[in-house]
Amino acid sequence: MAPSSRSAGSERAGARREVVYLDNAATSWPKPPGVVAAMVHYLEAVGANPGRSGHHRSAEAGRIVLAARRAVAALCGVQSPMRVLLGPNATWALNQAIAGLLQDGDHVVTTSFEHNSVLRPLTALAGAGTITLTVVPGSADGRVDPDAVAAAITARTALVVVNHASNVCGAVQPVAEIGHRCRERAVPLLVDAAQSAGAVPLDLTRQGIALCAVAGHKGLLGPTGTGALVLADDFEPDRLRPLLLGGTGSRSDSLEQPAVLPDRFESGTLNVAGLAGLAASVEWLLGEGGGPEAIGRREAGLRAEFVALAEATVPGFQLVGPRGGDLTGVVSFRVAGQSVSDLAQRLDDEHGVLGRSGLHCAPAAHRALGTFPAGTLRFAFGAFNTGEQVEAAVAALAAIGERRPSP
Amino acid sequence: MTTLHVLFFSTHHALWAEEVLRTAGMTARVVAVPRRYSSDCGYCVRVVEAPEPAIAAALAAAGVEYDRIVRDTDGVSS
């Protein structure tokens, strides 16, 4: 059910202009019912710091954090909520996993469909001579071959990092197949689930995933400033060094970082207001929302509807990336003769259709897709978008094409 | 009335334990650690009229990590 009376993803904005929000890969909007109320409740009626004091308000704040932790654990198929390490975003989670696990002389395997939040930390470590790096190329239809990933693993490989769902073209990688190959070689698999969590089912043990980075504000439908690194039940946490050291509300008599999870990785006060919203959003997602599989199927359906309608009615429309297979609601495209940035600006200015143009912080993915450096225009259909909005977006593209000035 | 206190290494585990023990039907509540007990975190869970083995079994089954369980009457670690 949409959280507003108007068509989902639309609003009378400050400028009193209705928008069609198709930028859910950047951050999802709108949020499910109860998210804002949960955040307001914490800020107005609880307010305390979780785990830092013994009074009942502090305990209540801690229960809010526990609810978020438990919800994310359920979403990822992890038994212990203490294996959900909470932080500000997926980028933090990926950095915590990469910098926390790798040591001098290690080899890492990753793919060309990674976001910069994976490729930048890995490139920095490789540039410093700490690690060696193999980037497995993906195909022009957005896929990575699990056998190619397995073939890149050597005796020195300490980590495989794979993007679950592309933020550029929506392709979903076969992480379970990759995970099983990694498990056979006893190499931990880190999955960047920033674009998949909430829209693609996750079960870390079944999929052979050792570590999983999720964003709270994208497919999980929570507020910005929330994310998590989730450790599989069989991953040995002592292998991971914490990025941050400091106060945890536990072992205050000691100058050493506590070993217990999640304290070891959660120094400093958490974003409790954000986590209150995240708990509410994930509980909605797993309940009334129908679960990741249903939401993902619906979003992929809107993507397919958009592609079919645009190809039929928008002159020069060019789909970039896969047409079929496992997909999310993310789609990249170009329109012949138009720059993607100009097109995005006109969609916003003239029609209130909000997408994202450019390279989407994933230049290697655009190279694989053959769209570097010009980039693409990306629409990302979310949990609350509708078929009417798909039609409105296509109509806007067609109208801009008709009014395009002659060269 | 027998009152037990469960002491923890982490406030997060204390809050989780409260939830686990309540789900198991026990009367459990997170409270500040009484000064007479040393603890690694500021919370403990007070459990009223529940046998210690049942508390230990419920926490172990869920995977909650705790330091020890003490009787309120004498403070002796059990």
Side-chain angles (χ1 to χ4, degrees):
Chain A
M1 187 180 69
S4 67
S5 57
R6 299 191 61 82
S7 58
S10 299
E11 176 183 73
R12 292 285 173 186
R16 301 209 176 276
R17 188 160 62 92
E18 186 166 327
V19 299
V20 175
Y21 186 82
L22 301 178
D23 199 17
N24 290 281
T27 194
S28 56
W29 185 86
K31 304 303 181 184
V35 169
V36 173
M39 298 174 74
V40 170
H41 169 74
Y42 166 72
L43 291 168
E44 286 189 347
V46 182
N49 195 326
R52 298 301 197 271
S53 311
H55 54 73
H56 73 279
R57 289 285 190 91
S58 174
E60 189 55 31
R63 290 186 190 99
I64 290 170
V65 173
L66 176 60
R69 214 183 288 285
R70 189 175 353 86
V72 173
L75 186 99
C76 294
V78 171
Q79 297 297 314
S80 171
M82 301 299 130
R83 285 181 168 263
V84 175
L85 313 179
L86 297 167
N89 45 49
T91 299
W92 165 83
L94 290 161
N95 275 267
Q96 170 58 74
I98 290 167
L101 197 65
L102 296 176
Q103 299 181 355
D104 234 7
D106 282 344
H107 172 247
V108 177
V109 177
T110 191
T111 83
S112 60
F113 282 107
E114 305 308 310
H115 191 272
N116 276 344
S117 52
V118 165
L119 289 176
R120 282 180 175 170
L122 288 178
T123 301
L125 287 171
T130 306
I131 63 165
T132 53
L133 181 62
T134 300
V135 180
V136 175
S139 65
D141 71 347
R143 308 293 175 184
V144 173
D145 179 2
D147 289 331
V149 174
I153 293 174
T154 72
R156 300 194 69 87
T157 304
L159 184 65
V160 172
V161 191
V162 171
N163 176 279
H164 194 184
S166 169
N167 69 312
V168 176
C169 66
V172 178
Q173 304 302 341
V175 291
E177 291 179 46
I178 295 170
H180 294 144
R181 285 162 174 77
C182 290
R183 187 164 280 176
E184 285 168 6
R185 306 286 292 272
V187 176
L189 171 63
L190 166 62
V191 166
D192 174 3
Q195 294 294 335
S196 61
V200 182
L202 284 165
D203 184 330
L204 269 53
T205 302
R206 188 179 59 76
Q207 293 167 316
I209 299 169
L211 309 104
C212 184
V214 302
H217 66 103
K218 297 179 191 266
L220 298 191
L221 307 174
T224 51
T226 59
L229 177 63
V230 186
L231 309 181
D233 288 311
D234 60 354
F235 178 79
E236 175 49 63
D238 289 348
R239 299 174 69 178
L240 208 56
R241 299 178 303 277
L243 284 190
L244 283 178
L245 307 179
T248 58
S250 56
R251 298 211 60 182
S252 295
D253 60 323
S254 172
L255 297 182
E256 292 183 6
Q257 190 75 1
V260 67
L261 292 179
D263 302 44
R264 189 177 183 203
F265 299 96
E266 291 184 357
S267 292
T269 299
L270 291 166
N271 172 12
V272 188
L275 294 172
L278 180 64
S281 69
V282 178
E283 284 165 10
W284 178 91
L285 195 156
L286 294 172
E288 190 182 343
E293 192 166 4
I295 290 174
R297 194 183 312 119
R298 198 171 156 279
E299 291 173 356
L302 292 173
R303 180 196 195 273
E305 199 177 314
F306 167 77
V307 171
L309 197 55
E311 287 184 330
T313 60
V314 178
F317 179 89
Q318 299 167 351
L319 173 68
V320 172
R323 182 174 300 275
D326 285 344
L327 295 165
T328 63
V330 171
V331 61
S332 259
F333 62 93
R334 296 183 294 198
V335 177
Q338 299 188 50
S339 89
V340 291
S341 55
D342 289 349
L343 187 55
Q345 191 67 55
R346 290 188 66 184
L347 283 167
D348 182 3
D349 290 347
E350 299 170 18
H351 300 274
V353 174
L354 310 183
R356 181 179 173 186
S357 65
L359 295 174
H360 313 99
C361 297
H366 277 280
R367 286 184 195 278
L369 293 166
T371 49
F372 184 89
T376 57
L377 179 54
R378 179 187 75 186
F379 285 167
F381 299 100
F384 298 113
N385 285 126
T386 65
E388 285 177 2
Q389 291 180 325
V390 169
E391 291 169 11
V394 174
L397 286 169
I400 289 170
E402 286 170 9
R403 291 198 301 274
R404 188 155 49 100
S406 301
Chain B
M1 184 172 70
T2 305
T3 301
L4 300 172
H5 284 96
V6 188
L7 307 182
F8 296 88
F9 302 108
S10 161
T11 58
H12 301 289
H13 283 261
L15 290 158
W16 186 25
E18 177 190 60
E19 188 178 273
V20 166
L21 296 175
R22 285 181 176 178
T23 301
M26 300 179 204
T27 303
R29 181 186 165 205
V30 161
V31 296
V33 177
R35 289 189 60 124
R36 58 187 174 279
Y37 304 134
S38 64
S39 172
D40 281 340
C41 83
Y43 296 158
C44 68
V45 174
R46 179 184 292 158
V47 190
V48 179
E49 290 186 342
E52 186 183 326
I55 297 170
L59 296 178
V64 178
E65 295 178 37
Y66 63 96
D67 181 1
R68 64 190 190 277
I69 301 172
V70 295
R71 289 184 180 280
D72 195 42
T73 50
D74 55 14
V76 175
S77 179
S78 44

